[in-house]
Amino acid sequence: MSSSFGLRTAKPCSPPNVPRREGHPARVARRVFAGATMIDTSIFAVSLFPSNKVLLPTATGTLHVFEQRFLQMFDDLAEKAGGNILDANGIRFGHILSPSVAPPALLENAISGMPRLAVMATVKRVKRNDDGSLLLQYEGSKRIKLINIWQSQPYMIAAATFMTDNVSPTEEVLVDSLEWDLYRQLEEVGRLSKQLRTSEDAPAGLPDSIPRYAPPPPPSRPRTIAEYLTDAGHPAGTSISMWQRHGSVYGNVKQGKDATQDPYAVLSERLGKDTRQELFSFAAACMLELGAAESLALLTSTDRAARLQWTSAAVTPYLQEQRAKASLVKALGHSGGSGGGTPAV
């Protein structure tokens, strides 16, 4: 998958060497009882579109849909969403690698000849051509694991569940550190790319997926509960502030001066961190120029730490090259006086 930044993978780090673990559903299945029947609510139906290309989560692509069965599939999905296909942005389908191009390893334990691993994709834009075919722009989201095929004609519908990485409690601190290190690298890549931009066609910054799934910034000075209450217009905010500054009839309570983070931001990060962090690791990897084998290795790996490490190692040579170019431009700019223009490097 080509990158707008031209990043290339680092040779010492080969994706097939990324440690892999067996994938498992991200969440513990919630089960409800309907009479004597137990229903697993983590299982859902997904319509499948076989493709000759590997799709990674957060990556984008374009589909030219011309076969009648798949035209019907997207029309059915749009109808279920309550609209016309041309207005059905946001409908989801399963993007799966076609068995004709899938490597043998991916077809182990295949279901009805289809790989078990796919990626949930979301339609972002739809255009109908004069010949009746569709041009769909889509974006990959989370990986899914097929359980069985419910329908094979005229198009496939499978039962699936979400798949995620294995991150043990002992690895969380390491993964957080690796994520921040990689994000700092990418921020610098973005800054240098803007600085070295020589044409309107060059990228003006990082892809939208990077800031979207980036780790939240650590608060420089966490705000106090009193500040949050004051901003919300609650009179208790002023009273607590005065109490913290001057004490109360019960004495100066030091605990009242401790700062606290925004409870809503903290809760949001805690609830969505696993998904956000996984998608960030893929968004960063998508900036690289990846071959099919490399993409498959990243897609099938459930070791988040290894994925972050490998991507960071792949970004490092490019970042060093950009730093050298920026230094050269700066040096030539100082020595060139008012010559104007940015030297080609």
Side-chain angles (χ1 to χ4, degrees):
M1 191 170 296
S2 59
S3 164
S4 57
F5 287 90
L7 296 180
R8 296 185 178 275
T9 53
K11 293 182 179 179
C13 299
S14 178
N17 295 330
V18 174
R20 304 183 192 181
R21 301 174 183 170
E22 290 300 321
H24 66 90
R27 50 187 172 174
V28 177
R30 293 176 297 165
R31 300 179 185 275
V32 296
F33 286 88
T37 304
M38 185 169 62
I39 303 172
D40 189 340
T41 58
S42 69
I43 298 175
F44 50 86
V46 57
S47 300
L48 300 178
F49 186 95
S51 173
N52 292 332
K53 296 182 179 180
V54 179
L55 176 68
L56 291 179
T58 75
T60 58
T62 303
L63 284 179
H64 181 204
V65 184
F66 55 87
E67 289 188 52
Q68 186 57 43
R69 55 178 175 153
F70 293 121
L71 290 172
Q72 179 182 341
M73 183 184 88
F74 285 106
D75 282 337
D76 291 346
L77 289 173
E79 185 178 352
K80 290 178 182 177
N84 183 276
I85 182 61
L86 298 180
D87 302 320
N89 297 345
I91 62 175
R92 303 196 302 173
F93 65 97
H95 186 287
I96 192 167
L97 192 62
S98 174
S100 61
V101 297
L106 195 64
L107 293 175
E108 293 179 0
N109 301 318
I111 303 176
S112 299
M114 301 297 293
R116 283 184 174 269
L117 181 60
V119 174
M120 187 70 79
T122 303
V123 175
K124 295 297 184 180
R125 186 174 299 175
V126 183
K127 176 185 177 182
R128 189 179 293 278
N129 299 320
D130 294 337
D131 60 1
S133 63
L134 294 175
L135 201 62
L136 304 178
Q137 294 181 8
Y138 63 91
E139 180 180 42
S141 55
K142 295 198 65 177
R143 293 172 292 177
I144 57 177
K145 187 174 182 179
L146 306 189
I147 299 173
N148 57 46
I149 302 296
W150 283 349
Q151 171 185 304
S152 57
Q153 294 297 333
Y155 53 85
M156 286 190 179
I157 299 179
T161 186
F162 285 114
M163 170 183 166
T164 191
D165 296 327
N166 292 334
V167 180
S168 66
T170 57
E171 292 179 313
E172 288 184 3
V173 175
L174 171 63
V175 170
D176 289 349
S177 176
L178 291 171
E179 182 187 35
W180 261 108
D181 290 343
L182 177 56
Y183 182 52
R184 291 189 185 99
Q185 284 182 301
L186 297 181
E187 282 188 311
E188 187 174 357
V189 166
R191 289 194 299 269
L192 292 175
S193 296
K194 290 181 180 179
Q195 181 179 339
L196 298 172
R197 191 182 185 198
T198 56
S199 69
E200 292 298 325
D201 296 332
L206 297 174
D208 293 339
S209 56
I210 297 298
R212 189 192 316 163
Y213 299 117
S220 55
R221 186 192 70 80
R223 303 175 69 199
T224 65
I225 292 177
E227 289 172 330
Y228 285 116
L229 291 172
T230 301
D231 290 345
H234 198 288
T238 303
S239 300
I240 294 175
S241 296
M242 293 181 60
W243 175 45
Q244 290 175 336
R245 287 195 300 268
H246 307 295
S248 71
V249 294
Y250 300 103
N252 196 351
V253 183
K254 294 183 179 180
Q255 293 90 326
K257 296 182 179 180
D258 292 340
T260 182
Q261 296 185 45
D262 181 352
Y264 298 104
V266 172
L267 182 59
S268 176
E269 170 64 5
R270 286 180 180 175
L271 292 176
K273 178 181 178 180
D274 187 67
T275 296
R276 181 202 58 73
Q277 200 171 65
E278 179 180 333
L279 293 178
F280 172 78
S281 71
F282 278 111
C286 286
M287 290 184 62
L288 307 173
E289 291 184 353
L290 301 172
E294 296 164 324
S295 297
L296 277 172
L298 291 167
L299 185 66
T300 57
S301 173
T302 56
D303 192 322
R304 189 176 302 167
R307 190 185 306 120
L308 290 167
Q309 286 175 322
W310 180 82
T311 305
S312 178
V315 170
T316 298
Y318 177 82
L319 181 56
Q320 292 173 342
E321 180 184 347
Q322 293 297 89
R323 287 169 178 167
K325 285 183 178 181
S327 298
L328 181 59
V329 168
K330 184 177 181 181
L332 292 176
H334 284 309
S335 62
S338 58
T342 302
V345 294

